[in-house]
Amino acid sequence: MEHMGLVSLVPPLVAVVLAIVSKNVIIALFSGVFAGVLLLVGGNPLTATTGVIGDYLFPQLTDSYNAAVLILLFFIGGFVALMEKSGGGAALAAASVKYIKTRAQAQVSAWLGGILIFFSDLGTPLIVGPVFEKIFDKLKISREKLAWIIDSTASPVAVLIPFIGWGVYIMGLIRAEFDKIGISDSEYNTLVHVIPFQFYALLTVILVPLIAFSKLDFGPMENAENRVRQTGKLYWPESKPLRKAEELKEYTTGSKTILIWLPLTVLFITLFGLLISKGFPMKPVPGGDFRVALSTAYLFAAVTIIVLMLIYKVKKFNEIFDIYTTGMQKMVYVAATLILAWSLGKVIEEMGTAAFIVEIMQGNVPAFIIPAILFVVGAVMALASGTSWGTFAIMLPIAIPMAVALDAHMLVCIGAVLSGGIFGDHCSPISDTTILSSTGAGADHIDHVKTQIPYAMLNATIALISFIIAGITGSAWTLIFTGGVLVVAVWILSKRNKIKEVRAQTQIS
């Protein structure tokens, strides 16, 4: 396992530092690639520049696997844009409003609405938030609570779905590392098997109904809930909500629920119909066949929603087609991120970064603790940079070779990187999903961040303990322990709150 010593750490460190400083993943990844190539070619900047373009960027684009992933991303981008603009998600959420009578029902309904809009982490807050804000106001539930719920069903849900943009992006990173170290396992099967080890995302999703049914609030969220219940005021005097109620009308005006459930039905039937014809689930489906099936499914689903939008006169054909192509264009940023991530992974491989880290850790750090370390490092990086995708791009090319070389559990290590990235992204005030959650709920952004962090820290603490246990056992059954600890923690906190309330009432009387 050859390496360039301490110098091999330069590319990922440059990428991490610039991701934090610039808040721009493209700049950070490109700079990391350039720094590595500059060292590889002996310090000549012109040679390094042409090398980056000719030896790293171009080969990533011409690789057949990478090209298939990029095309798939464009199909997904067009479909997601249509789903967001059709109003189907808002109509589905609005259809359930008449059944909501209690505070718990309102919170769980918003939670379910966020899960149903799984196809778009950025669309969830802007679709679900405006629909439920008036219900929350009527039942005296704080805007901060709504922001937390829709934030908890945005990226934490999206990272668990292997066949949307998030999954395709992560699978691309996994496949690149598998090819380098000679692992033939399917990246799709790998990501599916990683799901039980995505402790933070799963805990975040589970916590919402637990909080709703237990009527538990703690930290700044408890203060926000008391403010609304006791005074009826939606905001603190110094609060500055990111959005006024009328600013997102396009997500809430009249539409039909069929505009969401029928295209998704077509997508699932097409996808699994094509996969079953290839032997799924009895035998693994080759990655190429999976990507073709997924691309076809998204294309058929897009055609379905276009036809429905024309039938129900949601928009004219030219407008619909513009929405579809604009959605594709939005994926250019994701595509550029992936290409640079693949290039950085190649540079890291050639410099032996993972080999150097392994050499330092071998015999000094027990293998079982590696997932916990990856979780903490990923969390800090994503928290500081506000990007989970950038964290995945930098961490996975290091984590996967480390897991193999140090005999750590591969699936647990991948889950740790994903969990760390989601936790940091979930808490970061500069994360796009955090900002959009404040916007969708019509909440003050800083109020949202302050009230969300204690809930996120509870989940992160349990996740960290779980990664230590999973690092030892490598068992997916660790998830049962993880969920059990969360339930016990909520029960203990609920009991403590009730004791506090009784004491307060006694003092008053």
Side-chain angles (χ1 to χ4, degrees), residues 19-20 23 381-388 391 424-425 428-433:
I20 294 169
K23 319 300 180 191
M381 180 184 166
L383 180 62
S385 64
T387 167
S388 53
T391 301
D425 178 85
S428 177
I430 57 174
S431 163
D432 49 6
T433 48

Side-chain angles (χ1 to χ4, degrees), residues 170-491:
I170 294 165
M171 283 189 285
L173 298 174
I174 292 173
R175 183 73 266 158
E177 297 314 307
F178 278 12
D179 288 343
K180 289 169 191 170
I181 54 183
I183 296 177
S184 60
D185 295 353
S186 160
E187 65 273 24
Y188 174 76
N189 289 339
T190 299
L191 188 55
V192 168
H193 289 132
V194 166
I195 291 174
F197 298 109
Q198 294 202 48
F199 296 131
Y200 181 79
L202 290 165
L203 287 168
T204 300
V205 175
I206 294 169
L207 183 60
V208 174
L210 286 176
I211 292 290
F213 289 123
S214 67
K215 301 178 182 178
L216 170 67
D217 292 301
F218 55 93
M221 186 72 80
E222 184 178 10
N223 297 333
E225 289 291 286
N226 289 337
R227 180 197 69 223
V228 177
R229 279 199 295 262
Q230 294 169 10
T231 69
K233 293 181 179 179
L234 298 180
Y235 308 105
W236 299 108
E238 67 277 10
S239 296
K240 295 178 182 178
L242 288 188
R243 173 183 66 84
K244 294 180 181 178
E246 66 272 11
E247 289 178 6
L248 289 173
K249 284 184 177 178
E250 65 174 300
Y251 289 100
T252 57
T253 49
S255 189
K256 304 289 184 181
T257 58
I258 194 174
L259 284 157
I260 187 170
W261 66 258
L262 185 57
L264 289 176
T265 301
V266 169
L267 190 153
F268 291 134
I269 290 175
T270 304
L271 175 60
F272 291 108
L274 290 172
L275 291 179
I276 288 169
S277 69
K278 301 291 184 180
F280 179 85
M282 301 308 294
K283 62 180 184 178
V285 177
D289 291 340
F290 171 75
R291 288 183 291 280
V292 169
L294 199 49
S295 298
T296 305
Y298 273 105
L299 177 61
F300 284 4
V303 171
T304 303
I305 197 170
I306 288 171
V307 171
L308 289 172
M309 289 174 76
L310 291 171
I311 291 173
Y312 290 104
K313 299 179 180 179
V314 176
K315 292 183 183 293
K316 295 178 181 178
F317 179 77
N318 287 340
E319 294 175 310
I320 296 170
F321 193 74
D322 284 345
I323 290 169
Y324 187 68
T325 53
T326 300
M328 287 184 159
Q329 291 168 20
K330 288 181 179 178
M331 283 295 171
V332 170
Y333 187 87
V334 178
T337 303
L338 254 183
I339 292 167
L340 288 168
W342 287 325
S343 300
L344 181 62
K346 185 179 178 185
V347 169
I348 287 173
E349 179 197 17
E350 291 181 1
M351 297 185 74
T353 305
F356 176 63
I357 295 172
V358 167
E359 186 177 288
I360 293 172
M361 298 179 71
Q362 207 155 28
N364 299 315
V365 178
F368 76 85
I369 205 70
I370 290 173
I373 294 172
L374 292 171
F375 173 70
V376 172
V377 173
V380 171
M381 180 184 166
L383 180 62
S385 64
T387 167
S388 53
W389 285 37
T391 301
F392 303 158
I394 296 168
M395 293 294 294
L396 284 175
I398 295 173
I400 292 174
M402 274 179 59
V404 172
L406 294 175
D407 200 27
H409 293 289
M410 170 83 70
L411 300 179
V412 184
C413 288
I414 295 174
V417 171
L418 300 183
S419 287
I422 292 297
F423 167 66
D425 178 85
H426 199 211
C427 294
S428 177
I430 57 174
S431 163
D432 49 6
T433 48
T434 309
I435 293 168
L436 286 175
S437 295
S438 301
T439 304
D444 177 272
H445 184 53
I446 300 303
D447 290 343
H448 167 45
V449 173
K450 287 194 300 186
T451 52
Q452 176 163 272
I453 283 178
Y455 292 72
M457 287 302 298
L458 171 64
N459 290 329
T461 302
I462 298 171
L464 181 60
I465 296 168
S466 300
F467 279 119
I468 294 172
I469 295 171
I472 297 170
T473 65
S475 173
W477 293 105
T478 307
L479 183 59
I480 295 177
F481 163 82
T482 305
V485 172
L486 181 63
V487 171
V488 171
V490 169
W491 180 78

